[in-house]
């Protein structure tokens, strides 16, 4: 099954509750929450309080993407706020296995994120402990960026690694995902598609989500 995860980074925050209800009614599968600290990435977004507010509005899984330095400091806070999944960057974790275990111990499904230039091989010895891998197809920090074409080969490489280990780990893709490329991204092995601008800048959320799911083959 292919899953669509609208990123609230592109939502209208003056009416976030309405936006969340609208995308849930439109058929979204997950809510993607991009947390940025202005240090690991050159932008600042929001923290656990916003995730807690999102949880009060929707029953959908909340996918918390921690684009922050030393993310282990805040895992418990985001778990208490209502996160369903938490993913951390390979590049931000000194002790990646320990951080992944902290997420699972908090009762949350763990994932690991790869920046566009990070070797896929860095996943090999942690992959069996993950529920999903998030492949960044733009450099993290801002919404609305263009998809990096060689991300297709990286997604396929992660899929091969998962298959070689006989795992059921999901692959999520974030960055520049839209109707023009979601089919190719899906064919490379992706399961979960983060879309911000493609959904929230469209005039009809339901039609956009249905089109994305159809084009992804799900």
């Amino acid at each position: 099954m292919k899953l669509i995860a609208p990123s609230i980074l592109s939502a209208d925050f003056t009416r976030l509750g309405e936006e969340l209800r609208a995308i849930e009614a439109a058929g979204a599968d997950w809510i993607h929450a991009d947390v940025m600290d202005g240090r690991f990435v050159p932008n600042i977004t929001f923290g656990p309080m916003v995730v807690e507010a999102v949880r009060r509005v929707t029953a959908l899984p909340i996918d918390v993407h921690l684009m922050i330095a030393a993310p282990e400091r805040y895992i418990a806070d985001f778990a208490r706020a209502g996160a369903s999944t938490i993913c951390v960057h390979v590049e931000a974790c000194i002790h990646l296995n320990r951080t992944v275990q902290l997420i699972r111990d908090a009762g949350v499904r763990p994932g690991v994120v790869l920046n566009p230039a990070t070797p896929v091989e860095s996943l090999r010895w942690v992959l069996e402990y993950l529920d999903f891998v998030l492949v960044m197809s733009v450099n993290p920090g801002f919404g609305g960026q263009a998809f990096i074409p060689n991300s297709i080969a990286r997604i396929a490489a992660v899929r091969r690694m998962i298959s070689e280990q006989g795992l059921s780990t999901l692959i999520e893709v974030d960055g520049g995902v839209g109707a023009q490329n979601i089919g190719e991204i899906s064919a490379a092995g992706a399961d979960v598609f983060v879309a911000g601008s493609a959904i929230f800048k469209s005039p009809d959320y339901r039609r956009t989500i249905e089109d994305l799911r159809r084009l992804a083959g799900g």
Side-chain angles (χ1 to χ4, degrees), residues 114 120 123 133 135 154-163 171:
L114 294 177
V120 170
L123 289 171
V133 172
V135 176
R154 290 168 56 75
I155 295 162
V158 175
R159 175 53 64 200
R160 285 193 297 274
M161 189 180 294
I162 291 169
S163 298
I171 297 177

Side-chain angles (χ1 to χ4, degrees), residues 1-6 28-32 61 63 85 109 131-137 155 159 168-175 177 182 185-186 189-195 212-213 216:
M1 182 179 180
K2 304 297 184 175
L3 305 176
I4 307 299
D29 298 295
W30 292 6
I31 303 296
H32 188 79
D63 178 34
T85 63
R109 296 169 60 197
D131 281 40
F132 66 104
V133 172
L134 173 52
V135 176
M136 290 300 300
S137 44
I155 295 162
R159 175 53 64 200
S168 57
T169 315
L170 298 177
I171 297 177
E172 183 176 10
V173 179
D174 184 1
V177 175
I182 195 169
I185 295 168
S186 179
D191 306 288
V192 185
F193 307 87
V194 177
L212 290 173
R213 200 188 314 280

Side-chain angles (χ1 to χ4, degrees):
M1 182 179 180
K2 304 297 184 175
L3 305 176
I4 307 299
S7 170
I8 60 171
L9 188 62
S10 297
D12 180 353
F13 269 68
T14 65
R15 41 190 290 274
L16 183 58
E18 295 173 44
E19 293 272 65
L20 289 165
R21 293 184 186 96
I23 59 173
E24 183 169 1
D29 298 295
W30 292 6
I31 303 296
H32 188 79
D34 288 307
V35 177
M36 308 182 194
D37 63 357
R39 181 179 171 193
F40 180 68
V41 293
N43 198 3
I44 298 173
T45 55
F46 49 78
M49 289 179 63
V50 169
V51 172
E52 185 178 3
V54 171
R55 174 49 70 217
R56 290 198 298 268
V57 173
T58 181
L60 290 176
I62 302 174
D63 178 34
V64 175
H65 176 188
L66 295 182
M67 288 176 266
I68 63 176
E72 64 277 1
R73 297 173 298 164
Y74 299 102
I75 286 166
D77 294 330
F78 282 101
R80 284 192 295 267
S84 307
T85 63
I86 294 176
C87 53
V88 295
H89 278 255
V90 169
E91 308 85 7
C93 296
I94 297 173
H95 305 292
L96 184 58
N97 287 72
R98 182 185 298 166
T99 303
V100 168
Q101 190 59 49
L102 283 173
I103 297 171
R104 198 172 292 285
D105 289 347
V108 178
R109 296 169 60 197
V112 161
V113 192
L114 294 177
N115 276 342
T118 299
V120 170
E121 186 63 25
S122 62
L123 289 171
R124 183 167 300 279
W125 302 109
V126 74
L127 190 58
E128 64 187 287
Y129 306 110
L130 306 178
D131 281 40
F132 66 104
V133 172
L134 173 52
V135 176
M136 290 300 300
S137 44
V138 299
N139 288 293
F142 297 95
Q145 298 183 67
F147 184 86
I148 297 174
N150 66 16
S151 301
I152 296 295
R154 290 168 56 75
I155 295 162
V158 175
R159 175 53 64 200
R160 285 193 297 274
M161 189 180 294
I162 291 169
S163 298
E164 287 166 2
Q165 295 191 30
L167 302 172
S168 57
T169 315
L170 298 177
I171 297 177
E172 183 176 10
V173 179
D174 184 1
V177 175
Q180 75 283 0
N181 58 18
I182 195 169
E184 187 179 12
I185 295 168
S186 179
D191 306 288
V192 185
F193 307 87
V194 177
S197 302
I199 293 173
F200 285 106
K201 304 305 180 188
S202 73
D204 186 332
Y205 295 171
R206 177 178 294 279
R207 181 173 180 178
T208 300
I209 289 172
E210 287 176 350
D211 286 347
L212 290 173
R213 200 188 314 280
R214 174 180 54 80
L215 292 165

